[in-house]
Amino acid sequence: MTNVMRNRAYIAFVLFLAIIQGANAYSLGAGACEDPGHSGGSEGSGNGGYTLAVTSGALTAGSEVTLTLSGTSNFKGFSVITDQGTFSSFGSGTKSHANCGSGWTHLSSASKPSVTVILTLGSAGTTNLKYTVVREKNTWYKDTLPLTVTSAIAPTAPTTLSPTASTSSPTTVSPTTTSPTTLSPTTTSPTTLSPTASTSSPTTVSPTTTSP
């Protein structure tokens, strides 16, 4: 074998290894933080029908929320990068995107309808989640999910009601003294009936004389 043939064989072997390693790298996770890094591909318009959403949890500082990435069709790869907070409890077929600070990516290139992860939110303010979804090796979509994180509400201490000491003097009810009512006897003068003197003249009956 001539040197030229050896060189050509060596170059072909190196290219073959590079292709294999590149395919393995993309199948085991995103090759870059925001762009998939696939040669010969192109970014599609909009988000391609793929959305990243908070499916449970409250958007307060330090809280844990569940993120779900899904779409109108299956996808093979993805990456999600956050500027605040940390990922944990990676769902099936996913892992940490260690090369991009706090990131999340696929573990295999198997077709998948959705993936989930837990995000522990950072401080109050706006948290931006930049995500890339790879439908096929040469077709991908990008979008950003902004989250408005509010301050954690401090627990309110229970209100303790102190007993109120009454400073009012007790009301003393004085007994009412009722003077007895004295009934004076009524003196009734006796009625004196004076005898009535008859002034009528006595009736004199004259004897009747009968003539013979």
Side-chain angles (χ1 to χ4, degrees):
M1 181 179 294
T2 64
N3 289 336
V4 174
M5 294 179 64
R6 288 193 184 94
N7 289 338
R8 288 178 178 175
Y10 177 76
I11 293 173
F13 178 71
V14 171
L15 291 175
F16 174 76
L17 289 179
I19 293 172
I20 295 298
Q21 291 176 354
N24 287 338
Y26 297 141
S27 65
L28 297 177
C33 294
E34 295 183 30
D35 293 319
H38 299 172
S39 60
S42 62
E43 179 181 340
S45 176
N47 61 14
Y50 299 101
T51 57
L52 181 66
V54 176
T55 51
S56 68
L59 296 178
T60 55
S63 297
E64 291 185 348
V65 296
T66 301
L67 297 176
T68 300
L69 177 62
S70 60
T72 54
S73 60
N74 288 4
F75 54 95
K76 292 187 174 181
F78 72 94
S79 68
V80 180
I81 309 300
T82 180
D83 56 3
Q84 283 198 80
T86 55
F87 292 106
S88 61
S89 301
F90 302 96
S92 176
T94 71
K95 65 175 184 177
S96 171
H97 201 340
N99 297 332
C100 302
S102 185
W104 174 43
T105 187
H106 58 278
L107 187 58
S108 73
S109 59
S111 181
K112 52 188 73 66
S114 64
V115 287
T116 59
V117 73
I118 297 296
L119 172 65
T120 301
L121 298 170
S123 57
T126 301
T127 296
N128 293 301
L129 297 167
K130 297 181 178 180
Y131 66 96
T132 303
V133 180
V134 179
R135 178 179 294 171
E136 298 292 343
K137 181 179 179 180
N138 295 325
T139 305
W140 64 87
Y141 304 89
K142 296 166 60 177
D143 205 350
T144 300
L145 172 65
L147 300 178
T148 301
V149 181
T150 60
S151 299
I153 301 174
T156 304
T159 303
T160 303
L161 298 176
S162 302
T164 303
S166 177
T167 56
S168 302
S169 301
T171 303
T172 304
V173 179
S174 302
T176 302
T177 305
T178 304
S179 300
T181 301
T182 305
L183 298 177
S184 300
T186 302
T187 305
T188 303
S189 298
T191 301
T192 304
L193 297 177
S194 299
T196 302
S198 177
T199 57
S200 299
S201 297
T203 301
T204 303
V205 178
S206 296
T208 302
T209 304
T210 305
S211 296

